[in-house]
Amino acid sequence: MSDLEAFRSETRAWLEENCPATMRSGVGESLTSGEGDICWGGRKFQFKSEDQKLWLERMGSRGWTVPTWPTEYGGGGLSKDEAKILQEELRRIKAKPALVSFGIWMLGPALLKFGTHEQKLEHLPKIARGEIRWCQGYSEPNAGSDLASLATKAEDKGDHYIVNGQKVWTSYADQADWIFCLVRTNPDDKHNGISFVLFDMESEGVSTKPIQLISGYSPFCETFFDNVTVSKTNLVGEENKGWTIAKYLLTHERTGISDMGMPAPLNSLAVEKLGTVDGELEDKMLHHQIAEHEIDAASFVFTMERAKDEAKAGGDMGAFSSMLKGYGTEINKARHELIVKVNGSDAFEWEGQFSNNGEIARSWLRTKANSIEGGTTEVQLNIIAKRILDLPA
Amino acid sequence: MAMILNEEQQLLKESAEGFFNEKAPISQLRQLRDDKDETGYSKQLWTEMSEMGFAGLLIDEDHGGTGFGVMGAGIVAEAMGRTLSASPYFASSIVGASLIKAAGNDTQKSTLLPAIAAGETIVTLAVDETSTHNPERTSVKATSAEGGYVLNGMKTFVPEGHVADQIIVLARTSGDAGGANGLSLFLVDRRAAGVIADRTVMSDSRNWAKITLEGVKVSAENLLGEEGAAMKALGPVLDKANIILASELLGIAQECLDRTVAYLQERKQFGVLIGSFQGLQHRAAQLFSEIEVTRSAVMKAQQMAEMGGDVSWFASLAKAKASKTAELATNEAIQMHGGIGMTDEFDIGFFIKRARVAQTLYGGFNYHADRFARTSGY
Ligand SMILES: Cc1cc2nc3c(=O)[nH]c(=O)nc-3n(C[C@H](O)[C@H](O)[C@H](O)COP(=O)(O)OP(=O)(O)OC[C@H]3O[C@@H](n4cnc5c(N)ncnc54)[C@H](O)[C@@H]3O)c2cc1C
Ligand SMILES: Cc1cc2nc3c(=O)[nH]c(=O)nc-3n(C[C@H](O)[C@H](O)[C@H](O)COP(=O)(O)OP(=O)(O)OC[C@H]3O[C@@H](n4cnc5c(N)ncnc54)[C@H](O)[C@@H]3O)c2cc1C
């Protein structure tokens, strides 16, 4: 038996023993994204069940919430091949993710690349175990697509900065423990005047105000900084060199947003809801639209697989993440439009038990943000045109 | 299987691209067209392709091939899509060889496969009879006769039909048009009495023919596979063929994008390079994305075919997606070239003319999207 095969059977046995039954119902099978079920971790997180807590503890203690991170930073220390096997085994038993977080998905990779040893030791294990939940302080009222025009100011006070300004659209700012934040340390140089800093959301002078979305969810906030003290030990990379880190982190964010896994087949959802006549959906147009969509969606799923294999083989994702982000989020939007069509008038129920408080409608509306958050589709197309196709400015 | 090219495949890709760029650029196809060349392809090129091993990519080494498999065959087809190189590669080395491999007996294999791999014998398939692909609608009749069969009827859209040595004809030995049962495959010598091959000049300037069969006598040894069970062998071969067509379409789309981007980088209007206009940048970026996504669907199908088993779902996915993307790419290429894209003197128009024919062969987007849905269970 090869090492990898041995790893697979050990992993399978461990998961069999340690993944609680209620954590195996499998996300991606329901009609909607089921955000309510996700384990985000953090100081304020209320576990939905004992099993959810247990699952996080067990996975966190093995470092399998972040399988490829080094063990000294709380990771699983797995090779890319082993991590792929772990993924496959988790999928096989339809395990829910033990932990989903911006720490794993965005900050971690950036810290691994740009952080000091001390910073990694301080922050990464807490991310791995789900103890600290992070939010992203990038966008501002006047710095959206043109992120580098951000104005939140960090004044140099020797061993610390004093931060003043405002962020907006800060997802889960009211529930996060810490923030990774872009601040201006030099007003005279747009791109080379930005620094990347970390601080506790409980610091004095930080306040948040939730914003409600069209979906009725309120996942993000306006975030205000009023003379917040940030120690220089929490500056990542060099002062005024934060833009490079910010962009690197965005490539991870974008790849993450585009990865919707293998979604439930629309056709079976449609057949379940509407039934068939002579073995086919009665609505011929819907039948065609679903087929056309599923062809694009499956092709995209294979593209994610290919991108991961290329990254594994040492390729640099770079601007390709913009392609994944742009295409993947548009696919997801199209998918939810079809889910709404399949469900007819039921799709628009907004309250009440029957619709699980309007889950279909709210999820559908939530997807509209996919092509805005993490950089809009238009911005991704700009990046492809300039960085990949080398078209003139 | 990881979705990346291994070293051997990467080398094959580079050597194929280099080869077709040098030996069979678009100017060769243009020349064949303008000369109204009788053969419709360069024999010299075909000989060199065979020497390179391209003619035997799907044929195992025991039968004189190189045994590269569907991935390799797709890589070469993609390279040919980029230069629109004309040759019997698709008809003979892909379809003919696969069908003999799938349905042939030992004698048929040992006589025909090495000859295909060497580029000495061209074998093609005659399947469709009407303007839309539908093998089950076959009505060409094979009636039992002393020592064999007699074939009557007409086939259309036969690749390399007028230059092939052997034509594999799908004919009905029993049942009525529309049924999958009762169909059989026959090896028919193109020069046999009663075989009339009419070359059909089509938009892609490649070789196509209508084949009329008037009381053609075929001996029992030339039955290919089991009588009445042709679809068992033909179905998987058509899947493979569609995966290769999808690979060619991918090459066409990629070449259209590359040429268009190069044009956007050099053409000036309003005092600036037109590639600086966001209206064009976004169209090019969207096309880039579609091509990358198509590449994944095609590669997945190639890999699945290489692993064996039923690949109808993957083949239809790849062909449908590649057809849609090639349509987009060829249309966008002309549009973004402006007036010059409409001129025959400029090469870009050759791509759209080949793409639509390759899309249509063995079923276009609608056919395969529908088949994709049916194989998905709805
Ligand atoms: C649900 C959600 C969650 C979010 N979470 C976070 C978060 O946690 N942290 C954070 O920092 N931010 C977050 N954001 C903010 C997000 O990153 C911004 O909304 C996004 O970058 C767009 O900026 P904007 O809203 O200011 O739009 P604008 O930049 O004003 O864009 C308006 C329109 O103009 C287009 N446009 C702008 N510039 C160009 C151009 N150069 N070429 C072509 N078109 C252009 C855009 O594509 C868009 O269609 C979130 C947003 C949403 C919707
Ligand atoms: C069949 C045919 C018949 C014709 N007949 C005549 C005729 O009788 N008389 C005559 O005078 N002309 C005629 N024309 C010429 C026609 O008007 C031009 O081809 C047309 O105006 C486009 O110019 P162009 O070919 O130089 O393309 P270009 O201007 O070079 O355009 C190339 C591409 O760039 C795009 N582009 C250019 N500028 C911008 C911009 N600012 N923003 C975004 N995109 C841009 C274009 O849309 C196009 O996609 C004919 C053309 C054709 C094809």
Side-chain angles (χ1 to χ4, degrees):
Chain A
M1 192 154 53
S2 77
D3 289 354
L4 285 180
E5 283 168 49
F7 177 77
R8 185 185 294 279
S9 61
E10 280 163 32
T11 301
R12 188 173 290 187
W14 188 87
L15 289 176
E16 213 39 76
E17 190 143 318
N18 288 284
C19 182
T22 59
M23 292 292 105
R24 299 189 195 191
S25 43
V27 279
E29 284 201 313
S30 86
L31 268 183
T32 52
S33 54
E35 269 201 39
D37 249 9
I38 292 175
C39 177
W40 293 99
R43 298 192 290 236
K44 298 177 193 161
F45 187 68
Q46 306 270 325
F47 288 97
K48 307 287 179 304
S49 66
E50 255 321 291
D51 280 352
Q52 189 182 44
K53 186 161 176 250
L54 205 60
W55 182 221
L56 172 60
E57 280 168 8
R58 287 174 177 170
M59 287 290 278
S61 66
R62 290 209 71 155
W64 280 6
T65 47
V66 284
T68 57
W69 293 9
T71 45
E72 68 172 321
Y73 303 134
L78 302 188
S79 70
K80 284 173 175 174
D81 285 324
E82 287 168 339
K84 192 169 178 181
I85 289 174
L86 174 61
Q87 258 316 311
E88 287 164 4
E89 290 302 314
L90 284 164
R91 210 175 298 140
R92 200 182 64 85
I93 60 167
K94 300 199 166 116
K96 295 184 186 182
L99 177 66
V100 172
S101 79
F102 290 9
I104 294 180
W105 167 32
M106 301 186 216
L107 178 63
L111 270 187
L112 280 168
K113 190 168 166 85
F114 296 100
T116 61
H117 178 59
E118 288 70 32
Q119 286 169 338
K120 292 178 198 174
L121 272 183
E122 162 77 15
H123 297 294
L124 294 178
K126 291 178 193 161
I127 292 174
R129 293 192 298 266
E131 290 165 8
I132 292 295
R133 182 172 179 180
W134 288 85
C135 64
Q136 177 186 34
Y138 275 31
S139 306
E140 297 180 4
N142 289 314
S145 297
D146 185 12
L147 180 60
S149 65
L150 60 94
T152 292
K153 196 170 75 181
E155 251 179 293
D156 193 333
K157 297 283 178 186
D159 66 345
H160 68 278
Y161 299 105
I162 296 294
V163 175
N164 279 290
Q166 186 200 337
K167 295 289 172 181
V168 73
W169 321 128
T170 325
S171 293
Y172 308 108
D174 52 344
Q175 300 178 48
D177 307 311
W178 276 64
I179 186 167
F180 52 92
C181 196
L182 296 179
V183 293
R184 181 147 302 285
T185 36
N186 177 358
D188 300 324
D189 192 328
K190 186 172 175 181
H191 290 94
N192 291 312
I194 295 171
S195 298
F196 191 104
V197 296
L198 315 171
F199 52 93
D200 195 318
M201 289 293 279
E202 278 175 10
S203 309
E204 204 171 316
V206 179
S207 60
T208 60
K209 193 169 145 226
I211 309 169
Q212 188 161 323
L213 291 184
I214 52 174
S215 59
Y217 298 141
S218 180
F220 59 18
C221 299
E222 291 178 281
T223 308
F224 303 92
F225 309 125
D226 181 13
N227 287 321
V228 179
T229 303
V230 177
S231 158
K232 278 197 179 169
T233 54
N234 286 327
L235 168 71
V236 181
E238 278 173 56
E239 190 175 271
N240 292 327
K241 294 282 177 250
W243 185 241
T244 311
I245 306 171
K247 281 195 301 185
Y248 178 78
L249 185 144
L250 277 173
T251 63
H252 283 271
E253 177 177 6
R254 286 169 183 161
T255 310
I257 292 176
S258 52
D259 192 357
M260 50 183 187
M262 185 57 106
L266 273 177
N267 57 292
S268 40
L269 299 177
V271 168
E272 206 173 291
K273 177 81 185 176
L274 301 169
T276 54
V277 178
D278 296 330
E280 284 192 9
L281 290 171
E282 197 175 13
D283 183 341
K284 290 276 174 289
M285 288 304 292
L286 183 64
H287 180 269
H288 295 172
Q289 287 170 353
I290 289 177
E292 191 151 2
H293 174 78
E294 292 286 38
I295 286 168
D296 288 343
S299 302
F300 182 71
V301 167
F302 298 145
T303 305
M304 286 302 297
E305 185 184 340
R306 182 162 71 89
K308 283 179 193 165
D309 285 342
E310 271 174 17
K312 216 176 91 174
D316 179 14
M317 189 76 82
F320 200 75
S321 63
S322 290
M323 192 287 279
L324 298 175
K325 204 273 174 183
Y327 203 95
T329 57
E330 296 297 337
I331 288 265
N332 200 35
K333 282 187 351 190
R335 175 170 208 84
H336 278 263
E337 286 297 344
L338 281 169
I339 290 174
V340 161
K341 284 200 182 94
V342 163
N343 284 281
S345 62
D346 290 349
F348 304 107
E349 288 191 15
W350 196 251
E351 288 177 2
Q353 256 194 317
F354 186 72
S355 62
N356 194 12
N357 275 324
E359 199 182 354
I360 294 175
R362 291 166 193 269
S363 297
W364 158 66
L365 289 168
R366 176 63 182 82
T367 62
K368 301 304 170 197
N370 294 160
S371 50
I372 299 170
E373 58 198 328
T376 67
T377 295
E378 292 72 28
V379 166
Q380 307 315 314
L381 293 174
N382 289 344
I383 293 172
I384 295 168
K386 304 219 163 73
R387 305 251 314 271
I388 299 180
L389 301 179
D390 200 22
L391 289 171
Chain B
M1 208 183 290
M3 290 186 72
I4 41 176
L5 298 186
N6 64 30
E7 215 172 305
E8 196 185 37
Q9 289 159 346
Q10 188 61 40
L11 278 174
L12 178 65
K13 180 182 157 74
E14 283 158 23
S15 79
E17 283 177 353
F19 177 86
F20 290 111
N21 262 328
E22 187 195 336
K23 309 274 182 179
I26 298 184
S27 53
Q28 187 179 71
L29 179 67
R30 181 187 287 280
Q31 185 88 46
L32 291 165
R33 179 196 70 174
D34 293 347
D35 294 351
K36 297 194 189 308
D37 186 279
E38 275 299 315
T39 318
Y41 67 92
S42 154
K43 285 197 165 160
Q44 160 94 23
L45 174 75
W46 184 230
T47 306
E48 288 181 48
M49 281 177 70
S50 310
E51 283 163 7
M52 291 284 289
F54 294 160
L57 286 172
L58 290 185
I59 297 170
D60 51 276
E61 288 174 19
D62 288 349
H63 287 104
T66 39
F68 251 99
V70 182
M71 276 288 280
I75 287 167
V76 172
E78 186 185 337
M80 294 173 72
R82 299 192 69 137
T83 52
L84 299 176
S85 308
S87 81
Y89 173 77
F90 177 75
S92 195
S93 303
I94 304 299
V95 184
S98 299
L99 206 42
I100 289 161
K101 245 169 64 178
N105 57 36
D106 287 347
T107 320
Q108 289 162 339
K109 284 185 198 168
S110 62
T111 49
L112 288 169
L113 291 178
I116 293 176
E120 287 156 5
T121 295
I122 296 171
V123 180
T124 188
L125 168 70
V127 50
D128 287 314
E129 299 175 7
T130 66
S131 56
T132 42
H133 177 63
N134 189 340
E136 291 167 11
R137 207 188 278 148
T138 293
S139 69
V140 163
K141 259 208 156 46
T143 341
S144 292
E146 222 183 66
Y149 304 82
V150 175
L151 269 55
N152 278 293
M154 194 174 98
K155 293 284 180 184
T156 187
F157 206 18
V158 181
E160 314 298 329
H162 78 292
V163 294
D165 300 292
Q166 297 283 327
I167 303 171
I168 302 173
V169 176
L170 180 68
R172 192 161 281 290
T173 36
S174 65
D176 296 318
N181 293 325
L183 293 173
S184 310
L185 294 164
F186 297 94
L187 274 164
V188 176
D189 191 324
R190 202 227 335 140
R191 296 166 190 90
V195 177
I196 302 154
D198 288 307
R199 183 174 187 186
T200 325
V201 175
M202 296 183 71
S203 68
D204 64 351
S205 309
R206 300 277 278 268
N207 279 346
W208 301 96
K210 290 189 169 41
I211 305 290
T212 312
L213 303 149
E214 288 179 351
V216 178
K217 292 203 181 93
V218 180
S219 71
E221 294 94 78
N222 285 329
L223 175 69
L224 189 68
E226 221 179 299
E227 184 183 298
M231 290 314 288
K232 217 169 57 186
L234 185 59
V237 168
L238 288 175
D239 282 337
K240 244 182 238 178
N242 274 308
I243 293 169
I244 299 302
L245 287 169
S247 312
E248 183 188 340
L249 289 166
L250 174 65
I252 289 176
Q254 183 73 57
E255 185 67 19
C256 282
L257 174 68
D258 292 354
R259 285 173 182 247
T260 302
V261 166
Y263 189 70
L264 299 186
Q265 286 162 337
E266 74 185 40
R267 167 78 173 162
K268 274 193 173 170
Q269 285 288 281
F270 301 97
V272 294
L273 294 169
I274 58 172
S276 64
F277 298 130
Q278 197 178 50
L280 299 184
Q281 289 185 345
H282 282 193
R283 288 169 81 155
Q286 254 151 353
L287 180 55
F288 167 83
S289 305
E290 288 294 351
I291 291 171
E292 286 303 319
V293 169
T294 303
R295 179 173 298 288
S296 314
V298 170
M299 185 186 256
K300 192 66 169 183
Q302 291 171 348
Q303 293 190 336
M304 295 311 287
E306 203 141 303
M307 285 161 67
D310 180 4
V311 295
S312 44
W313 188 86
F314 291 97
S316 282
L317 171 73
K319 181 72 182 305
K321 185 69 193 161
S323 295
K324 197 165 132 186
T325 299
E327 191 157 318
L328 178 73
T330 50
N331 286 336
E332 288 290 83
I334 292 180
Q335 176 63 21
M336 288 193 252
H337 275 84
I340 203 165
M342 284 298 297
T343 60
D344 183 67
E345 195 186 329
F346 210 73
D347 285 340
I348 201 78
F350 276 74
F351 291 93
I352 193 170
K353 293 194 248 182
R354 171 60 185 170
R356 291 304 177 279
V357 177
Q359 284 167 235
T360 307
L361 184 60
Y362 304 154
F365 178 82
N366 288 359
Y367 178 91
H368 286 286
D370 182 60
R371 186 165 177 265
F372 168 86
R374 281 186 285 112
T375 44
S376 307
Y378 63 107

